[in-house]
Amino acid sequence: MPSGYGPEHLQRAIKFTCRYRHQTYLSLSLSLTHTHTQSEMGSRSEEEDGTSTSESLLLTATDGNQSRSPATAVVVFSTLVAVSGSYVFGSAVGFSSPAQTGIMDDLGLSLEEYSVFGSILTIGAMVGAVMSGKIADQLGRRMTMGLSEMFCLLGWLAIIYSEVSWLLDAGRLLIGYGIGVLSYVVPVYIAEITPQNLRGAFTTVNQLMICIGVSVMWLIGTFIPWRTLALIGTIPCLLQVIGLFFIPESPRWLAKIGLWKDCEAALHRLRGKNAEIFEEAAEIRDYTETLHQLSETRVFDLFQREYAKSLIVGVGLMVLQQFGGVNAIAFYVNSIFISAGFSSSIGSIAMVVVQVPFTLLGVLLMDISGRRPLLMVSAAGTCLGCFLTGMSFLLQDLQVNNGFSPILALVGVLVFTGSFSLGMGGIPWVIMSEIFPINIKGSAGSLVTVVNWFGSWVVSYAFNFLMKCSTEGTFFMFASICCLTVLFVAKLVPETKGRTLEEIQASMNPFTPS
């Protein structure tokens, strides 16, 4: 036994390993390997200076309870900086609707040309999503967010100074690429820095800021020129770039690349100078060391039995989120209200009034109710909203109580919007950031994000054709998919509230290092 290591250290290592019953991949031999390695790096005996470096934060755990860690100022500030990228996301999505008339008039664009401008955002986002995981793994979470904002800034500037359609489209494409990367890295970064008891609520702030970005663009875009609106879109980009200099890198990413001291320092900043981080640091260390025994995966390596459950849950939630009709309603809500015989301006304002408070409510309930119950309630509400909207168009076609159908359409859209904002908007991203182990998180996160953006493109492109075939049938189809979502969550989606990322990932992805 190396100097300074007695039976009590071995007992503590065994106790820590056994504490996490799901983490069966941890072994006593790994703990002893850590002990031996640390001693070779110069551990000093207790007799020499009264302390032992075997107490290294990244090697030992205490019996302290970390389940109720507080939200420190650094965690709050870091989250606010990260979700500035989410606001950029929302601003980009919300820009095209209020700017449409001004851009078409000033630049002489046809409806088809403007449709290209609007939809090219999702093409850029898909390209960004493909690359997001690898970029975040290679450059780190902070630098990836900064790089994404550079693309967004260039895109907004191209739009501001556009005099021809190709420059306008190029700017929109650049913004799409930037938000495609941000849509992956922001929730991942927040999940990796927050304590387990606050992770759900903090990660859902991502969706709240997207909603606020969309809503602000819708509201102020009614009163100001489109170039000024694009200039306002650059403000959150600049705020995030500046803020990134003052926040710590993800401790789990630092551990992944072997920067253990930096990982310790980041945890101390995030949890507070006097906080006990022994247990969390030890868990990150042991989990990361075990994963290092596995090779880094590529996208095709994801389709293995040990990752099947995580992949099904992550991809399934994104498919169901998009094919439930959210972007059909978000992109074409004005035409939906006009078709239903209701005022589009009043309907849009009503959506803004509903969307933000319900998203905020979802943030507050996330770590109280848990992910699964909130998801099922949210999916059931979207099902009801689509069903009511479909019924309004059915009554209109049958000419039954025709004066009632516009109100029913409004109620249906508002029920859908409020319910989606409550859980289905943000929770799939929270769960995506929690369920994949660090060795596949880059590839899996890219795949899941691409699926989400591809679904967004399919629904937004096909919606008008579906409406021509059968308006009520389109919404009844969305209602059926939302109903399927409830069953999917009940049967397959795990509850992740109050569990560490390592516990969640070990329970969903059992593997044995060779």
Side-chain angles (χ1 to χ4, degrees):
M1 183 72 69
S3 174
Y5 286 82
E8 69 276 11
H9 296 89
L10 181 60
Q11 290 170 1
R12 274 205 338 231
I14 295 171
K15 183 177 181 180
F16 169 73
T17 301
C18 295
R19 177 173 180 174
Y20 299 99
R21 62 183 183 277
H22 295 301
Q23 292 173 283
T24 55
Y25 58 85
L26 290 176
S27 64
L28 180 58
S29 62
L30 184 58
S31 299
L32 293 176
T33 299
H34 290 164
T35 300
H36 181 65
T37 301
Q38 190 71 6
S39 69
E40 290 180 344
M41 292 174 65
S43 64
R44 296 164 57 187
S45 66
E46 294 178 10
E47 290 80 10
E48 289 177 349
D49 62 357
T51 61
S52 170
T53 55
S54 67
E55 303 297 329
S56 171
L57 300 179
L58 290 170
L59 287 177
T60 59
T62 67
D63 295 333
N65 182 8
Q66 73 176 83
S67 62
R68 301 300 303 174
S69 299
T72 63
V74 175
V75 170
V76 173
F77 179 72
S78 299
T79 301
L80 289 176
V81 171
V83 297
S84 297
S86 308
Y87 187 93
V88 173
F89 184 160
S91 298
V93 172
F95 174 78
S96 58
S97 180
Q100 180 172 353
T101 302
I103 290 177
M104 292 178 67
D105 290 345
D106 290 353
L107 302 185
L109 301 185
S110 65
L111 182 61
E112 290 76 14
E113 288 174 320
Y114 192 80
S115 296
V116 170
F117 168 74
S119 62
I120 204 171
L121 182 80
T122 60
I123 304 300
M126 277 190 276
V127 176
V130 169
M131 304 173 66
S132 59
K134 287 297 181 184
I135 294 174
D137 282 350
Q138 292 294 322
L139 302 181
R141 310 330 187 194
R142 284 195 314 166
M143 191 174 293
T144 299
M145 287 187 279
L147 180 65
S148 302
E149 292 296 7
M150 292 297 103
F151 281 94
C152 292
L153 278 170
L154 287 174
W156 283 120
L157 290 174
I159 291 174
I160 291 169
Y161 293 105
S162 291
E163 296 295 342
V164 290
S165 61
W166 70 263
L167 185 58
L168 196 71
D169 293 342
R172 186 75 165 168
L173 187 68
L174 288 171
I175 295 173
Y177 178 86
I179 67 173
V181 177
L182 287 169
S183 64
Y184 165 75
V185 73
V186 169
V188 166
Y189 174 77
I190 297 171
E192 290 180 347
I193 67 168
T194 48
Q196 63 195 59
N197 59 299
L198 300 172
R199 188 176 60 244
F202 273 65
T203 309
T204 315
V205 175
N206 170 57
Q207 181 65 24
L208 174 64
M209 293 301 289
I210 292 173
C211 290
I212 292 175
V214 172
S215 300
V216 169
M217 281 295 191
W218 280 352
L219 291 176
I220 65 175
T222 307
F223 308 105
I224 62 175
W226 63 273
R227 293 187 193 273
T228 306
L229 190 63
L231 182 62
I232 291 174
T234 65
I235 296 174
C237 302
L238 293 170
L239 289 176
Q240 184 173 45
V241 170
I242 295 170
L244 289 172
F245 289 99
F246 302 98
I247 64 174
E249 181 55 89
S250 161
R252 287 172 170 85
W253 181 77
L254 292 169
K256 179 180 183 291
I257 62 171
L259 298 178
W260 305 111
K261 289 185 179 180
D262 291 337
C263 175
E264 272 189 19
L267 278 174
H268 267 305
R269 284 186 65 188
L270 291 164
R271 303 293 178 257
K273 186 176 181 181
N274 298 321
E276 293 186 357
I277 63 166
F278 304 105
E279 185 174 317
E280 184 176 7
E283 189 173 3
I284 292 172
R285 172 66 178 253
D286 285 335
Y287 190 77
T288 304
E289 286 288 351
T290 305
L291 288 173
H292 279 171
Q293 298 182 34
L294 304 173
S295 59
E296 192 76 17
T297 58
R298 297 166 297 179
V299 171
F300 291 110
D301 296 329
L302 299 176
F303 302 97
Q304 301 178 31
R305 188 165 59 91
E306 57 262 41
Y307 305 129
K309 187 174 181 182
S310 289
L311 205 60
I312 290 170
V313 170
V315 172
L317 283 175
M318 293 304 179
V319 169
L320 293 168
Q321 181 198 60
Q322 290 301 321
F323 284 89
V326 57
N327 279 329
I329 291 177
F331 287 11
Y332 302 107
V333 67
N334 284 355
S335 63
I336 291 172
F337 284 134
I338 291 171
S339 299
F342 193 83
S343 169
S344 61
S345 58
I346 294 175
S348 297
I349 293 172
M351 282 185 66
V352 171
V353 170
V354 168
Q355 186 171 253
V356 175
F358 270 83
T359 305
L360 181 59
L361 179 62
V363 171
L364 298 175
L365 292 177
M366 175 71 65
D367 286 312
I368 299 174
S369 66
R371 281 52 151 173
R372 292 178 75 249
L374 203 57
L375 261 181
M376 287 190 284
V377 170
S378 175
T382 57
C383 177
L384 176 62
C386 286
F387 179 78
L388 293 176
T389 307
M391 284 298 299
S392 73
F393 285 108
L394 180 61
L395 292 174
Q396 188 180 76
D397 288 346
L398 297 175
Q399 296 184 345
V400 176
N401 196 13
N402 200 37
F404 176 69
S405 62
I407 301 298
L408 190 60
L410 173 66
V411 172
V413 170
L414 293 184
V415 168
F416 179 94
T417 302
S419 299
F420 184 87
S421 300
L422 187 65
M424 279 301 297
I427 295 178
W429 293 103
V430 174
I431 292 176
M432 180 275 291
S433 68
E434 295 175 327
I435 60 176
F436 294 115
I438 198 74
N439 69 310
I440 69 164
K441 183 170 281 189
S443 299
S446 294
L447 176 63
V448 168
T449 309
V450 167
V451 168
N452 184 276
W453 281 108
F454 180 74
S456 172
W457 176 77
V458 169
V459 171
S460 59
Y461 179 79
F463 180 72
N464 286 327
F465 299 103
L466 292 171
M467 289 282 281
K468 286 182 179 180
C469 292
S470 174
T471 307
E472 63 274 13
T474 300
F475 284 97
F476 289 148
M477 179 188 68
F478 289 152
S480 300
I481 295 172
C482 294
C483 181
L484 180 62
T485 304
V486 178
L487 299 176
F488 179 86
V489 173
K491 294 293 184 182
L492 294 175
V493 177
E495 180 54 73
T496 60
K497 183 188 81 167
R499 302 169 66 189
T500 68
L501 294 180
E502 289 71 29
E503 286 180 294
I504 296 164
Q505 293 155 13
S507 66
M508 294 192 69
N509 305 283
F511 55 84
T512 304
S514 55

